[in-house]
Amino acid sequence: MHLKDKVALVTGAAQGIGKALAQSLLEKGCKVALVDQNAEVGKSCKDAFDRQFDAQMTIFLPCDVTNENNLKDTFKKTVSHFGHLDILVNNAGINNESDWERTIQTNLIALIRGTYIGLEYMKPENGGNGGAIVNIASLAGLLPAPQQPVYSASKHGVVGFTRSLAMASTIGNYGVRINAICPGFVNTPILQSIDKEENLGQFSAYKENIKDMMKFYGILDPNVIAEGLIKILEDDKLNGEIMKISTKQGIHFQEYTLPSGHHTKKLESVL
Ligand SMILES: NC(=O)c1ccc[n+]([C@@H]2O[C@H](COP(=O)([O-])OP(=O)(O)OC[C@H]3O[C@@H](n4cnc5c(N)ncnc54)[C@H](O)[C@@H]3O)[C@@H](O)[C@H]2O)c1
């Protein structure tokens, strides 16, 4: 996909990884709807972008992605403001083992809902131009995370949903590529949640284990995740791929025994 003049919606765009993703899209000439529940940080993010890019390139839309009406309204506003939608980045996420239902609501249910709403706007059969959806999962979506079992479950869900829906998109000719990114630890405010008992709940006793893991695996800069996003968007061959990003191996892809993008008949022959 050639990114200049494309319209992107990024959730959780006010800070951290989402802000870095929005920055990289703006640098490529995309218009970006910055979507976040934190209106204060969201507005200062928009102000910071306005000092670097034309103010017309971004719009800040306050939205709690777990609120269905709020989310639908946000997509509607994005399309009525910019005219259409080409790219959706489902990035908003939390790390909360205490309020674990909210973790599933935010990281998985809202991501699924956002994807379905996005597809409605992007599918050529509905008058859209096709496009690309990128879901931000985590290496905890591929590996067990003993101190964050529900976070890990939510991200495993994102990986399974992404791979499955990407196949559905191929079979059903949605005209939309769907991929996911699984980063290791990234230097953003979410890492502070590890020190908070209200976030880790019964697992806060093991917070030192997470800190040891951070020391062992290292911490990525958010710009590396942005680099991964641009790679996925610019390569039209990628669909159903799970990109992994770690300090040791950089940007690479998860290899599966069943190559993604295959049809049911081929799957049957392997199962
Ligand atoms: N930082 C890491 O180590 C790391 C590693 C792997 C994956 N991730 C994933 O990357 C994504 C971004 O995380 P981050 O590290 O930038 O975290 P962050 O806490 O810095 O930023 C998350 C943003 O999402 C917003 N958000 C949270 N819940 C929301 C909701 N219900 N509606 C709208 N906005 C909401 C927050 O206000 C915040 O601006 C998350 O999905 C996270 O799980 C992060």
Side-chain angles (χ1 to χ4, degrees):
M1 180 191 281
H2 188 63
L3 293 177
K4 185 148 174 39
D5 296 328
K6 293 291 188 297
V7 176
L9 187 159
V10 181
T11 69
Q15 63 177 32
I17 294 173
K19 189 177 179 188
L21 302 178
Q23 167 94 27
S24 67
L25 290 165
L26 286 163
E27 283 167 2
K28 286 281 176 180
C30 292
K31 294 169 191 143
V32 185
L34 309 161
V35 174
D36 206 288
Q37 67 178 1
N38 190 332
E40 200 186 322
V41 184
K43 279 178 197 144
S44 51
C45 169
K46 157 94 176 125
D47 289 345
F49 284 146
D50 287 353
R51 287 192 287 277
Q52 253 185 296
F53 306 97
D54 187 331
Q56 308 296 320
M57 299 296 282
T58 53
I59 180 174
F60 173 64
L61 298 169
C63 166
D64 176 353
V65 295
T66 66
N67 179 315
E68 185 172 353
N69 290 334
N70 206 186
L71 189 60
K72 282 184 178 159
D73 195 41
T74 296
F75 276 85
K76 206 171 164 188
K77 281 183 182 153
T78 301
V79 173
S80 67
H81 185 81
F82 287 126
H84 58 280
L85 181 69
D86 307 292
I87 297 162
L88 166 62
V89 186
N90 287 306
N91 163 75
I94 57 167
N95 175 38
N96 195 325
E97 294 299 318
S98 199
D99 190 353
W100 56 266
E101 289 99 334
R102 176 124 187 116
T103 297
I104 297 289
Q105 285 287 348
T106 309
N107 297 5
L108 186 57
I109 296 178
L111 177 142
I112 293 171
R113 184 169 287 127
T115 301
Y116 286 154
I117 301 170
L119 280 175
E120 289 309 306
Y121 285 101
M122 292 189 206
K123 275 184 184 175
E125 68 186 41
N126 297 341
N129 304 327
I133 298 176
V134 180
N135 294 326
I136 305 303
S138 164
L139 286 183
L142 297 166
L143 298 163
Q147 301 84 3
Q148 300 154 282
V150 175
Y151 180 81
S152 175
S154 71
K155 297 300 189 179
H156 273 76
V158 171
V159 169
F161 175 69
T162 302
R163 296 183 69 211
S164 304
L165 199 68
M167 267 189 194
S169 178
T170 304
I171 298 165
N173 288 319
Y174 294 180
V176 179
R177 297 186 292 112
I178 307 162
N179 295 283
I181 303 180
C182 292
F185 295 113
V186 188
N187 188 13
T188 74
I190 209 175
L191 295 186
Q192 292 154 16
S193 63
I194 288 154
D195 269 322
K196 294 183 186 151
E197 198 167 343
E198 70 257 34
N199 284 85
L200 279 196
Q202 61 177 310
F203 300 99
S204 54
Y206 314 122
K207 67 179 178 195
E208 292 308 321
N209 298 39
I210 309 182
K211 289 184 183 169
D212 287 346
M213 280 169 67
M214 281 185 197
K215 274 186 209 141
F216 182 78
Y217 290 108
I219 298 178
L220 294 154
D221 188 279
N223 290 333
V224 188
I225 319 309
E227 199 187 313
L229 172 74
I230 299 300
K231 257 186 213 291
I232 288 179
L233 292 175
E234 289 187 333
D235 186 346
D236 289 324
K237 294 187 298 298
L238 300 179
N239 184 43
E241 295 295 335
I242 305 301
M243 175 184 275
K244 299 192 282 187
I245 310 184
S246 65
T247 53
K248 292 199 167 47
Q249 293 188 58
I251 294 174
H252 56 297
F253 288 92
Q254 173 77 345
E255 285 179 25
Y256 290 100
T257 325
L258 302 177
S260 54
H262 276 219
H263 292 269
T264 319
K265 271 193 184 143
K266 286 194 180 163
L267 284 177
E268 276 168 4
S269 66
V270 201
L271 294 174

